[in-house]
Amino acid sequence: MPKWLLVTLLIALPLLFGAIHPILFILALAGVLIANPITWKYRKNKYFNGEEFQTLRAQIASVVAEHNEVVNYVAEIRGQGAFELGASSTGQYAHLANFENTSNWNYQRDRNVAEYAPHVHNA
């Protein structure tokens, strides 16, 4: 039953029967109050057991499983210490170099200073 028809019947039935006799209005209202939760539960079960919902559920489960695999892989790499940001040996012996400024204009060249951002590798 379409939702619009159900809502219309839930509103119209007590009004139609109430126009005939007041006791019928009370019976129709009681019937609506009993039928409404039963109908909603039936529709809920029909949706969640339906093919469309089960397909979506399977797709989401596969995405979650794939995401968990990636997270576990990254955690394993970090646990082994194989992936460290900013760990570079470039410039570690720069302080040992001697520099003589032979510029005619006394131009300042700081060749023996190796200052890099903490997560930047000088290639």
Side-chain angles (χ1 to χ4, degrees), residues 8-9 31 38-39 49 70 78-79 81 86 99 115-116 120:
T8 304
L9 287 176
I38 294 171
T39 305
N49 293 329
V70 170
R78 287 189 177 161
F99 176 70
E115 292 181 16
Y116 307 111
V120 175

Side-chain angles (χ1 to χ4, degrees), residues 1-118:
M1 176 182 300
K3 185 177 179 180
W4 64 269
L5 181 60
L6 174 69
V7 171
T8 304
L9 287 176
L10 291 178
I11 294 171
L13 279 179
L15 296 177
L16 289 175
F17 288 137
I20 297 172
H21 197 275
I23 293 181
L24 288 177
F25 172 76
I26 294 172
L27 290 175
L29 187 62
V32 166
L33 293 176
I34 292 170
N36 192 24
I38 294 171
T39 305
W40 287 109
K41 186 170 185 170
Y42 169 77
R43 290 172 59 92
K44 176 192 69 131
N45 291 339
K46 183 179 175 185
Y47 173 74
F48 286 118
N49 293 329
E51 184 178 332
E52 180 183 358
F53 178 78
Q54 294 300 326
T55 303
L56 290 173
R57 186 176 184 180
Q59 289 174 349
I60 291 172
S62 70
V63 169
V64 168
E66 184 178 343
H67 178 267
N68 288 339
E69 287 177 11
V70 170
V71 168
N72 291 336
Y73 177 69
V74 170
E76 180 182 326
I77 288 176
R78 287 189 177 161
Q80 293 174 354
F83 182 70
E84 243 180 85
L85 291 174
S88 172
S89 61
T90 302
Q92 68 180 346
Y93 300 114
H95 65 284
L96 299 176
N98 291 324
F99 176 70
E100 182 180 332
N101 190 356
T102 59
S103 172
N104 292 334
W105 296 278
N106 200 20
Y107 185 77
Q108 294 294 323
R109 296 185 188 110
D110 295 327
R111 293 186 181 178
N112 61 337
V113 177
E115 292 181 16
Y116 307 111

